[in-house]
Amino acid sequence: MSDSVIDRTVGFRLGGVNATETAFTAPLGDALYSYARRENPTVADCERALADVESCDWCILTPCGMAAINTALSTFNDPADARPWLFPADVYSGTAQYAAEVLKGQRGTNVRFTDPAGANSTTANLVGAIEEEAPALVFVEPITNPLLDVVDVPAVVRAARRRGALVVVDNTIGTPYLFKPLDAGADLVVHSATKWLAGHNDILAGVIGVNDPDLRARLLMHRNTIGSVISPDDAGRLKSELATFSLRVARQNATAAELAGYLENHPGVARVRYAGLSSHADHAVARSLFDERGFGALITFDLARDEEGCSRFVDDLGPHIPHIASMGDVTTSFLHIRACFGTAYEPSTIRLSVGVEPVEWVVGHLENALRATG
């Protein structure tokens, strides 16, 4: 199939009775196209490209990142297993809501959130909880969202293996450019491909990476059964945008490192959370985990101002740098954390998603907004 072709077919020609029976009974993923909810050539082509980026055997596309998480975790759901499922305290708010309201509230899963890191690290809290509680499953983010702690995923995987737990890693922020969780022994990796994998703020997509063939078969069956399928148009666009993935992310990581240094030295900023800074508590872990390829393209920082000053910062910056509830775009954007994620966060906390613009351009607008805070 040509890269420029988007196959929007819903019902494929089936042939005779025997061929039809074969098409509907063959294992999913065998490219015996019959109905688009089961398989689609454009989607399959994008999944192969994603598997190359992730360096895994198979990738499975879903309509968005939360659909990828739901498909992945639903595959493991066993009502007869009372062992807990562990989630970090600082997990993405959408994942936390899903764990609390769907897994625990609707399905009765024994969901356990680790304690906030405090003086400890997220890694230490996860490993300690794994050793103490012998969970069935551990969910982890190598870089947490939005406070940007860095988790020693290999250490978490080792602890999980000792206690017989599965490990699912949301590597949306880390990206395959920095780190590949399946190489570290994780069972599944999930991404909101909406973010850096696509990188243009123009599609919703999720992806699951897997190496185990039996697990892949279960995931495909679940995706087909619940109908969690991506459109061919979005899959085709994602495949096209993957071509610049490494170039984009390398530039974004490099620019973020410069911006983090600028912000750390600015009198209008009280604190900067970015693992590339030696002041970050997880700097050494990040260096070992990411092999100095970079430290991500997100920076979270606290303004040294009251709520009114922070509001002025948002108002001044918004016309120049988009204030949006997404990240990973080629265009730099920012988010007032508390306004989006709730009162668990300070009113002075800002998340900056670094794009590919010249660093001087971003610094200029940040400087003006910081002056506007008074």
Side-chain angles (χ1 to χ4, degrees):
M1 184 182 70
S2 167
D3 286 346
S4 62
V5 173
I6 305 295
D7 193 328
R8 299 183 179 90
T9 304
V10 174
F12 296 84
R13 291 180 180 272
L14 297 172
V17 171
N18 290 339
T20 299
E21 184 176 356
T22 299
F24 277 93
T25 58
L28 292 166
D30 280 6
L32 294 177
Y33 301 112
S34 56
Y35 185 66
R37 176 163 51 81
R38 292 170 59 87
E39 296 182 72
N40 171 277
T42 304
V43 172
D45 189 45
C46 183
E47 288 172 335
R48 287 189 289 270
L50 284 162
D52 287 341
V53 171
E54 190 63 60
S55 300
C56 64
D57 291 340
W58 299 284
C59 276
I60 298 169
L61 274 167
T62 64
C64 65
M66 286 308 305
I69 289 172
N70 177 50
T71 300
L73 297 186
S74 296
T75 302
F76 297 127
N77 201 57
D78 180 1
D81 191 344
R83 291 179 298 163
W85 287 18
L86 284 179
F87 292 80
D90 182 32
V91 74
Y92 165 57
S93 62
T95 304
Q97 183 178 16
Y98 171 80
E101 296 184 8
V102 177
L103 292 178
K104 183 177 182 179
Q106 297 178 18
R107 300 179 186 171
T109 306
N110 181 5
V111 170
R112 158 89 158 86
F113 291 95
T114 61
D115 296 328
N120 298 322
S121 69
T122 299
T123 301
N125 280 4
L126 270 171
V127 170
I130 291 167
E131 297 289 0
E132 180 180 345
E133 302 193 29
L137 182 143
V138 181
F139 190 96
V140 61
E141 299 166 338
I143 303 176
T144 66
N145 179 21
L147 296 183
L148 308 189
D149 291 340
V150 179
V151 177
D152 188 343
V153 176
V156 170
V157 169
R158 289 192 296 270
R161 292 293 173 260
R162 288 194 296 268
R163 304 298 276 166
L166 298 161
V167 179
V168 178
V169 179
D170 181 347
N171 197 32
T172 297
I173 296 176
T175 80
Y177 179 82
L178 293 184
F179 179 64
K180 296 181 178 178
L182 295 178
D183 289 348
D187 296 280
L188 291 179
V189 59
V190 296
H191 295 269
S192 172
T194 306
K195 311 304 192 298
W196 284 271
L197 289 170
H200 289 77
N201 197 30
D202 58 359
I203 64 167
L204 284 170
V207 63
I208 308 166
V210 59
N211 285 332
D212 183 279
D214 293 334
L215 185 49
R216 179 208 182 206
R218 290 165 56 190
L219 290 162
L220 288 172
M221 181 59 70
H222 187 79
R223 181 182 69 172
N224 176 58
T225 302
I226 66 172
S228 185
V229 294
I230 192 172
S231 76
D233 290 87
D234 284 344
R237 184 178 289 275
L238 175 56
K239 166 75 184 304
S240 176
E241 291 170 346
L242 276 176
T244 59
F245 166 72
S246 293
L247 293 172
R248 288 186 279 107
V249 176
R251 170 66 176 263
Q252 289 165 311
N253 274 252
T255 303
E258 290 190 58
L259 290 171
Y262 155 76
L263 289 166
E264 188 176 46
N265 291 305
H266 198 287
V269 175
R271 178 182 178 182
V272 179
R273 296 178 177 90
Y274 184 72
L277 298 172
S278 59
S279 57
H280 193 285
D282 301 320
H283 179 66
V285 172
R287 286 174 65 91
S288 66
L289 203 64
F290 306 144
D291 196 28
E292 300 191 30
R293 291 177 64 84
F295 297 92
L298 284 186
I299 305 167
T300 297
F301 58 96
D302 295 325
L303 297 167
R305 294 292 184 268
D306 59 15
E307 287 193 50
E308 183 180 347
C310 296
S311 182
R312 287 198 296 270
F313 176 88
V314 172
D315 290 343
D316 186 271
L317 191 60
H320 310 286
I321 293 178
H323 185 207
I324 62 174
S326 191
M327 56 191 179
D329 189 9
V330 291
T331 300
T332 297
S333 63
F334 77 104
L335 181 68
H336 185 274
I337 296 296
R338 185 170 186 164
C340 185
F341 293 154
T343 56
Y345 299 96
E346 295 296 327
S348 60
T349 305
I350 303 293
R351 186 185 72 190
L352 186 71
S353 175
V354 179
V356 299
E357 304 93 343
V359 65
E360 297 82 6
W361 181 89
V362 183
V363 165
H365 290 302
L366 286 172
E367 186 66 32
N368 289 336
L370 286 164
R371 289 174 181 168
T373 66

Short mmCIF file of all heavy atoms in Angstrom, two decimals, residues 312-357:
data_model
loop_
_atom_site.label_atom_id
_atom_site.label_comp_id
_atom_site.label_asym_id
_atom_site.label_seq_id
_atom_site.Cartn_x
_atom_site.Cartn_y
_atom_site.Cartn_z
N ARG A 312 -1.87 37.39 36.10
CA ARG A 312 -1.33 38.34 35.12
C ARG A 312 -0.34 37.64 34.19
O ARG A 312 -0.28 37.95 32.98
CB ARG A 312 -0.65 39.51 35.84
CG ARG A 312 -1.64 40.48 36.49
CD ARG A 312 -0.96 41.81 36.80
NE ARG A 312 0.10 41.67 37.78
CZ ARG A 312 -0.08 41.78 39.10
NH1 ARG A 312 -1.29 42.02 39.59
NH2 ARG A 312 0.94 41.65 39.93
N PHE A 313 0.45 36.70 34.72
CA PHE A 313 1.39 35.94 33.89
C PHE A 313 0.63 35.19 32.79
O PHE A 313 1.00 35.25 31.62
CB PHE A 313 2.18 34.96 34.76
CG PHE A 313 3.10 34.05 34.01
CD1 PHE A 313 4.40 34.43 33.72
CD2 PHE A 313 2.67 32.80 33.56
CE1 PHE A 313 5.26 33.60 33.02
CE2 PHE A 313 3.51 31.96 32.87
CZ PHE A 313 4.81 32.36 32.59
N VAL A 314 -0.43 34.50 33.18
CA VAL A 314 -1.21 33.73 32.21
C VAL A 314 -1.83 34.66 31.17
O VAL A 314 -1.79 34.38 29.96
CB VAL A 314 -2.30 32.92 32.93
CG1 VAL A 314 -3.25 32.27 31.93
CG2 VAL A 314 -1.67 31.85 33.82
N ASP A 315 -2.38 35.78 31.62
CA ASP A 315 -3.04 36.70 30.70
C ASP A 315 -2.05 37.32 29.71
O ASP A 315 -2.39 37.54 28.54
CB ASP A 315 -3.74 37.81 31.49
CG ASP A 315 -4.95 37.32 32.26
OD1 ASP A 315 -5.44 36.22 31.94
OD2 ASP A 315 -5.39 38.03 33.19
N ASP A 316 -0.83 37.60 30.18
CA ASP A 316 0.16 38.22 29.30
C ASP A 316 0.74 37.22 28.31
O ASP A 316 0.97 37.55 27.14
CB ASP A 316 1.29 38.84 30.14
CG ASP A 316 2.26 39.62 29.27
OD1 ASP A 316 3.24 39.03 28.76
OD2 ASP A 316 2.03 40.83 29.09
N LEU A 317 0.98 35.98 28.78
CA LEU A 317 1.63 34.99 27.92
C LEU A 317 0.67 34.38 26.90
O LEU A 317 1.07 34.03 25.78
CB LEU A 317 2.24 33.88 28.79
CG LEU A 317 3.19 32.90 28.11
CD1 LEU A 317 4.40 33.62 27.51
CD2 LEU A 317 3.66 31.83 29.10
N GLY A 318 -0.61 34.26 27.27
CA GLY A 318 -1.58 33.54 26.45
C GLY A 318 -1.71 34.00 25.01
O GLY A 318 -1.84 33.17 24.11
N PRO A 319 -1.67 35.30 24.71
CA PRO A 319 -1.80 35.72 23.31
C PRO A 319 -0.60 35.33 22.44
O PRO A 319 -0.71 35.35 21.21
CB PRO A 319 -1.91 37.25 23.42
CG PRO A 319 -2.41 37.50 24.81
CD PRO A 319 -1.77 36.43 25.64
N HIS A 320 0.52 34.98 23.06
CA HIS A 320 1.74 34.69 22.30
C HIS A 320 2.10 33.20 22.30
O HIS A 320 2.54 32.65 21.29
CB HIS A 320 2.91 35.49 22.88
CG HIS A 320 2.60 36.94 23.05
ND1 HIS A 320 2.53 37.81 21.98
CD2 HIS A 320 2.31 37.67 24.17
CE1 HIS A 320 2.22 39.02 22.43
NE2 HIS A 320 2.09 38.97 23.75
N ILE A 321 1.93 32.57 23.45
CA ILE A 321 2.18 31.13 23.59
C ILE A 321 0.86 30.51 24.03
O ILE A 321 0.30 30.90 25.06
CB ILE A 321 3.30 30.86 24.61
CG1 ILE A 321 4.64 31.38 24.06
CG2 ILE A 321 3.40 29.37 24.93
CD1 ILE A 321 5.81 31.20 25.00
N PRO A 322 0.32 29.55 23.28
CA PRO A 322 -1.03 29.05 23.56
C PRO A 322 -1.15 28.45 24.96
O PRO A 322 -0.29 27.69 25.40
CB PRO A 322 -1.24 27.96 22.49
CG PRO A 322 -0.28 28.29 21.42
CD PRO A 322 0.90 28.93 22.08
N HIS A 323 -2.25 28.81 25.64
CA HIS A 323 -2.59 28.23 26.94
C HIS A 323 -3.57 27.09 26.65
O HIS A 323 -4.77 27.33 26.46
CB HIS A 323 -3.21 29.30 27.83
CG HIS A 323 -3.48 28.84 29.22
ND1 HIS A 323 -4.46 29.37 30.03
CD2 HIS A 323 -2.88 27.86 29.98
CE1 HIS A 323 -4.47 28.78 31.19
NE2 HIS A 323 -3.53 27.85 31.20
N ILE A 324 -3.09 25.86 26.61
CA ILE A 324 -3.91 24.73 26.19
C ILE A 324 -3.69 23.53 27.11
O ILE A 324 -2.65 23.39 27.74
CB ILE A 324 -3.65 24.31 24.72
CG1 ILE A 324 -2.20 23.84 24.54
CG2 ILE A 324 -3.96 25.45 23.77
CD1 ILE A 324 -1.91 23.27 23.17
N ALA A 325 -4.68 22.64 27.13
CA ALA A 325 -4.62 21.45 27.98
C ALA A 325 -4.08 20.26 27.20
O ALA A 325 -4.66 19.18 27.17
CB ALA A 325 -6.01 21.13 28.53
N SER A 326 -2.98 20.45 26.52
CA SER A 326 -2.30 19.36 25.84
C SER A 326 -0.82 19.66 25.86
O SER A 326 -0.38 20.65 26.46
CB SER A 326 -2.82 19.18 24.41
OG SER A 326 -2.33 17.96 23.85
N MET A 327 -0.03 18.83 25.22
CA MET A 327 1.42 19.01 25.24
C MET A 327 2.01 18.20 24.09
O MET A 327 1.31 17.45 23.41
CB MET A 327 1.99 18.54 26.58
CG MET A 327 1.64 17.11 26.93
SD MET A 327 2.07 16.70 28.63
CE MET A 327 1.52 15.01 28.71
N GLY A 328 3.31 18.38 23.87
CA GLY A 328 4.00 17.59 22.86
C GLY A 328 3.94 18.15 21.46
O GLY A 328 4.40 17.52 20.51
N ASP A 329 3.38 19.33 21.30
CA ASP A 329 3.20 19.94 19.99
C ASP A 329 4.49 20.61 19.52
O ASP A 329 5.36 20.96 20.33
CB ASP A 329 2.08 20.98 20.11
CG ASP A 329 1.63 21.56 18.78
OD1 ASP A 329 2.06 21.05 17.74
OD2 ASP A 329 0.85 22.52 18.80
N VAL A 330 4.64 20.79 18.21
CA VAL A 330 5.78 21.55 17.68
C VAL A 330 5.70 23.01 18.09
O VAL A 330 6.70 23.73 18.05
CB VAL A 330 5.87 21.44 16.14
CG1 VAL A 330 6.25 20.04 15.72
CG2 VAL A 330 4.57 21.86 15.47
N THR A 331 4.53 23.46 18.48
CA THR A 331 4.35 24.81 18.99
C THR A 331 4.44 24.80 20.51
O THR A 331 3.78 24.01 21.17
CB THR A 331 2.96 25.36 18.58
OG1 THR A 331 2.88 25.39 17.15
CG2 THR A 331 2.74 26.76 19.14
N THR A 332 5.27 25.66 21.07
CA THR A 332 5.36 25.77 22.53
C THR A 332 4.01 26.19 23.10
O THR A 332 3.32 27.05 22.53
CB THR A 332 6.44 26.79 22.91
OG1 THR A 332 7.71 26.31 22.44
CG2 THR A 332 6.51 27.00 24.41
N SER A 333 3.63 25.57 24.22
CA SER A 333 2.38 25.90 24.88
C SER A 333 2.60 25.84 26.39
O SER A 333 3.64 25.37 26.86
CB SER A 333 1.26 24.95 24.46
OG SER A 333 1.56 23.62 24.86
N PHE A 334 1.61 26.29 27.13
CA PHE A 334 1.73 26.22 28.59
C PHE A 334 0.37 25.94 29.19
O PHE A 334 -0.68 26.06 28.54
CB PHE A 334 2.35 27.50 29.16
CG PHE A 334 1.41 28.68 29.23
CD1 PHE A 334 0.86 29.08 30.45
CD2 PHE A 334 1.07 29.40 28.09
CE1 PHE A 334 -0.01 30.16 30.51
CE2 PHE A 334 0.20 30.48 28.15
CZ PHE A 334 -0.33 30.87 29.37
N LEU A 335 0.37 25.60 30.49
CA LEU A 335 -0.86 25.30 31.20
C LEU A 335 -0.75 25.73 32.65
O LEU A 335 0.26 25.45 33.30
CB LEU A 335 -1.16 23.79 31.14
CG LEU A 335 -2.46 23.33 31.82
CD1 LEU A 335 -3.67 23.86 31.06
CD2 LEU A 335 -2.52 21.81 31.90
N HIS A 336 -1.77 26.42 33.14
CA HIS A 336 -1.87 26.69 34.57
C HIS A 336 -2.39 25.42 35.22
O HIS A 336 -3.54 25.02 35.03
CB HIS A 336 -2.81 27.87 34.82
CG HIS A 336 -2.87 28.30 36.24
ND1 HIS A 336 -3.74 27.72 37.16
CD2 HIS A 336 -2.16 29.24 36.93
CE1 HIS A 336 -3.56 28.29 38.34
NE2 HIS A 336 -2.62 29.22 38.23
N ILE A 337 -1.55 24.76 36.00
CA ILE A 337 -1.83 23.41 36.49
C ILE A 337 -3.09 23.35 37.35
O ILE A 337 -3.96 22.50 37.16
CB ILE A 337 -0.63 22.86 37.27
CG1 ILE A 337 0.59 22.72 36.35
CG2 ILE A 337 -0.96 21.51 37.91
CD1 ILE A 337 0.41 21.73 35.24
N ARG A 338 -3.20 24.26 38.30
CA ARG A 338 -4.33 24.19 39.23
C ARG A 338 -5.66 24.39 38.51
O ARG A 338 -6.66 23.74 38.83
CB ARG A 338 -4.16 25.23 40.32
CG ARG A 338 -5.22 25.15 41.41
CD ARG A 338 -4.86 26.03 42.59
NE ARG A 338 -5.79 25.86 43.69
CZ ARG A 338 -5.56 26.26 44.93
NH1 ARG A 338 -4.41 26.86 45.21
NH2 ARG A 338 -6.45 26.09 45.87
N ALA A 339 -5.69 25.30 37.53
CA ALA A 339 -6.93 25.57 36.81
C ALA A 339 -7.41 24.32 36.07
O ALA A 339 -8.62 24.11 35.92
CB ALA A 339 -6.72 26.72 35.82
N CYS A 340 -6.48 23.48 35.64
CA CYS A 340 -6.84 22.28 34.88
C CYS A 340 -6.99 21.06 35.76
O CYS A 340 -7.95 20.29 35.63
CB CYS A 340 -5.79 22.03 33.81
SG CYS A 340 -6.18 20.65 32.70
N PHE A 341 -6.04 20.84 36.67
CA PHE A 341 -5.98 19.60 37.43
C PHE A 341 -6.55 19.70 38.85
O PHE A 341 -6.66 18.69 39.53
CB PHE A 341 -4.53 19.11 37.53
CG PHE A 341 -3.96 18.67 36.21
CD1 PHE A 341 -2.59 18.72 35.99
CD2 PHE A 341 -4.77 18.20 35.20
CE1 PHE A 341 -2.04 18.30 34.78
CE2 PHE A 341 -4.23 17.79 33.99
CZ PHE A 341 -2.87 17.85 33.78
N GLY A 342 -6.88 20.92 39.32
CA GLY A 342 -7.55 21.03 40.59
C GLY A 342 -6.69 21.54 41.73
O GLY A 342 -5.49 21.81 41.58
N THR A 343 -7.30 21.64 42.88
CA THR A 343 -6.70 22.33 44.03
C THR A 343 -5.61 21.53 44.74
O THR A 343 -5.05 22.00 45.72
CB THR A 343 -7.78 22.70 45.05
OG1 THR A 343 -8.50 21.51 45.43
CG2 THR A 343 -8.76 23.71 44.45
N ALA A 344 -5.31 20.33 44.26
CA ALA A 344 -4.18 19.60 44.83
C ALA A 344 -2.86 20.28 44.48
O ALA A 344 -1.82 19.98 45.07
CB ALA A 344 -4.18 18.16 44.32
N TYR A 345 -2.90 21.20 43.51
CA TYR A 345 -1.69 21.87 43.06
C TYR A 345 -1.72 23.34 43.44
O TYR A 345 -2.78 23.95 43.62
CB TYR A 345 -1.55 21.73 41.53
CG TYR A 345 -1.45 20.28 41.11
CD1 TYR A 345 -2.57 19.58 40.69
CD2 TYR A 345 -0.23 19.61 41.15
CE1 TYR A 345 -2.49 18.25 40.33
CE2 TYR A 345 -0.14 18.28 40.79
CZ TYR A 345 -1.27 17.60 40.38
OH TYR A 345 -1.18 16.28 40.03
N GLU A 346 -0.53 23.92 43.59
CA GLU A 346 -0.41 25.32 43.98
C GLU A 346 -0.89 26.24 42.85
O GLU A 346 -0.73 25.92 41.68
CB GLU A 346 1.05 25.64 44.31
CG GLU A 346 1.60 24.89 45.52
CD GLU A 346 0.88 25.27 46.80
OE1 GLU A 346 0.47 26.45 46.92
OE2 GLU A 346 0.72 24.41 47.68
N PRO A 347 -1.43 27.40 43.19
CA PRO A 347 -1.89 28.33 42.15
C PRO A 347 -0.75 28.98 41.38
O PRO A 347 -0.99 29.65 40.38
CB PRO A 347 -2.68 29.38 42.94
CG PRO A 347 -2.14 29.29 44.33
CD PRO A 347 -1.76 27.85 44.54
N SER A 348 0.48 28.77 41.82
CA SER A 348 1.63 29.38 41.14
C SER A 348 2.32 28.45 40.14
O SER A 348 3.30 28.83 39.51
CB SER A 348 2.67 29.80 42.19
OG SER A 348 3.12 28.67 42.93
N THR A 349 1.79 27.22 39.96
CA THR A 349 2.50 26.21 39.18
C THR A 349 2.09 26.26 37.70
O THR A 349 0.91 26.22 37.37
CB THR A 349 2.24 24.80 39.74
OG1 THR A 349 2.60 24.78 41.12
CG2 THR A 349 3.07 23.77 39.00
N ILE A 350 3.11 26.31 36.85
CA ILE A 350 2.92 26.39 35.40
C ILE A 350 3.65 25.21 34.74
O ILE A 350 4.78 24.88 35.13
CB ILE A 350 3.51 27.71 34.82
CG1 ILE A 350 2.87 28.93 35.51
CG2 ILE A 350 3.36 27.77 33.31
CD1 ILE A 350 1.40 29.13 35.22
N ARG A 351 3.01 24.59 33.76
CA ARG A 351 3.67 23.56 32.97
C ARG A 351 3.93 24.11 31.56
O ARG A 351 3.00 24.57 30.90
CB ARG A 351 2.79 22.30 32.87
CG ARG A 351 3.48 21.13 32.17
CD ARG A 351 2.52 19.94 31.99
NE ARG A 351 1.53 20.24 30.96
CZ ARG A 351 0.45 19.48 30.72
NH1 ARG A 351 0.22 18.41 31.46
NH2 ARG A 351 -0.40 19.80 29.75
N LEU A 352 5.17 24.02 31.14
CA LEU A 352 5.57 24.52 29.82
C LEU A 352 5.93 23.34 28.93
O LEU A 352 6.80 22.54 29.26
CB LEU A 352 6.78 25.46 29.96
CG LEU A 352 7.24 26.18 28.69
CD1 LEU A 352 6.24 27.26 28.28
CD2 LEU A 352 8.62 26.81 28.90
N SER A 353 5.24 23.22 27.80
CA SER A 353 5.55 22.21 26.80
C SER A 353 6.33 22.88 25.69
O SER A 353 5.82 23.76 24.99
CB SER A 353 4.26 21.59 26.25
OG SER A 353 4.54 20.67 25.20
N VAL A 354 7.57 22.47 25.53
CA VAL A 354 8.51 23.17 24.65
C VAL A 354 8.39 22.66 23.22
O VAL A 354 8.40 21.46 22.97
CB VAL A 354 9.95 23.01 25.16
CG1 VAL A 354 10.93 23.71 24.23
CG2 VAL A 354 10.06 23.55 26.58
N GLY A 355 8.28 23.60 22.28
CA GLY A 355 8.16 23.26 20.87
C GLY A 355 9.50 23.37 20.14
O GLY A 355 10.56 23.16 20.74
N VAL A 356 9.43 23.71 18.88
CA VAL A 356 10.64 23.75 18.05
C VAL A 356 11.05 25.16 17.67
O VAL A 356 11.96 25.35 16.86
CB VAL A 356 10.46 22.89 16.78
CG1 VAL A 356 10.19 21.44 17.13
CG2 VAL A 356 9.34 23.44 15.88
N GLU A 357 10.43 26.17 18.26
CA GLU A 357 10.79 27.55 17.94
C GLU A 357 12.19 27.88 18.45
O GLU A 357 12.71 27.19 19.35
CB GLU A 357 9.79 28.54 18.57
CG GLU A 357 8.34 28.32 18.21
CD GLU A 357 7.61 27.44 19.19
OE1 GLU A 357 8.28 26.73 19.98
OE2 GLU A 357 6.37 27.47 19.19
#
